[in-house]
Amino acid sequence: QVQVLESGGGLVQAGGSLRLSCTASGLTFDDYEMGWFRQAPGKAREGVSCISRSGSSTRSADSVKGRFTISRDNAKNTLYLQMNSLKPEDTAMYYCAASSVRFAYSICGTNAFGYWGQGTQVTVSS
């Protein structure tokens, strides 16, 4: 049974930093492309950053480029999202997801990701 579990969310002031972590079990981690997605109240879920199986390639939304960094440690079956210079508009539930679809990271769309965590809340106060 595949399980995806996020952690690291919380309340932070604008300009602050957080690091999200995601562990995945029940699958061969380095056979899956991984991604971070977020959903704010009343809005659709959107791709934040996605990463290839090896970690050598990534794709990020324009809104987070230069501020967020996605990475993975395949030896630890763990995905990370380092978030710096946080803004109030970054407030959302953040989800980790896994995809067996090759090159899913290059589009970073929700449709290609089949395994999802329950999410971790990030709230940025102004």
Side-chain angles (χ1 to χ4, degrees):
Q1 181 179 357
V2 176
Q3 288 189 321
V4 178
L5 182 63
E6 305 95 337
S7 62
L11 173 64
V12 63
Q13 288 188 330
S17 298
L18 281 175
R19 188 174 85 151
L20 305 184
S21 298
C22 167
T23 58
S25 59
L27 51 74
T28 303
F29 189 71
D30 56 8
D31 281 348
Y32 286 77
E33 302 186 7
M34 300 296 295
W36 288 100
F37 299 81
R38 67 186 181 187
Q39 188 168 18
K43 294 188 176 182
R45 192 171 297 187
E46 64 174 357
V48 175
S49 292
C50 294
I51 191 167
S52 63
R53 286 167 172 77
S54 67
S56 60
S57 299
T58 64
R59 174 173 175 147
S60 294
D62 289 344
S63 59
V64 306
K65 283 181 181 176
R67 300 189 299 123
F68 291 10
T69 302
I70 188 171
S71 62
R72 66 190 293 165
D73 185 337
N74 287 344
K76 295 181 178 180
N77 284 14
T78 303
L79 176 74
Y80 303 99
L81 184 68
Q82 178 66 44
M83 304 187 293
N84 299 328
S85 302
L86 282 160
K87 304 175 180 180
E89 50 264 43
D90 294 319
T91 295
M93 186 71 79
Y94 282 71
Y95 298 91
C96 172
S99 174
S100 61
V101 177
R102 192 163 291 277
F103 301 120
Y105 82 90
S106 64
I107 299 176
C108 205
T110 57
N111 288 346
F113 287 77
Y115 296 109
W116 293 83
Q118 294 298 306
T120 185
Q121 178 68 38
V122 172
T123 303
V124 184
S125 63
S126 57

